[in-house]
Amino acid sequence: MSTELIVFGAIAILLGVGLLSAARRFYPRLDLAEEALSSIRLLTALIAAVLLLTGLGLILVGLVG
């Protein structure tokens, strides 16, 4: 068990969740066209998904390895 990997995984998960919650709070305030707003939402979702999956992977490797 590697404590560092588990900690880094938890940090990555927290960053992903924090990004999603911040985006949910600030998106209604943006004055953008609907196409631009949907592109920004998609990009944010992709970044958050990468962070969440990386965090889960690090935790899994930390527990197994």
Side-chain angles (χ1 to χ4, degrees):
M1 184 158 109
S2 177
T3 307
E4 293 88 8
L5 290 175
I6 295 172
V7 169
F8 286 138
I11 290 171
I13 290 174
L14 289 175
L15 283 173
V17 171
L19 177 66
L20 288 175
S21 65
R24 186 173 182 180
R25 182 176 182 165
F26 291 118
Y27 279 162
R29 297 180 185 177
L30 295 176
D31 289 331
L32 295 173
E34 188 61 36
E35 298 86 22
L37 191 57
S38 66
S39 295
I40 291 175
R41 284 184 180 149
L42 177 65
L43 181 62
T44 304
L46 288 172
I47 292 170
V50 167
L51 283 170
L52 292 173
L53 290 174
T54 302
L56 289 174
L58 285 172
I59 289 175
L60 182 65
V61 169
L63 289 175
V64 173

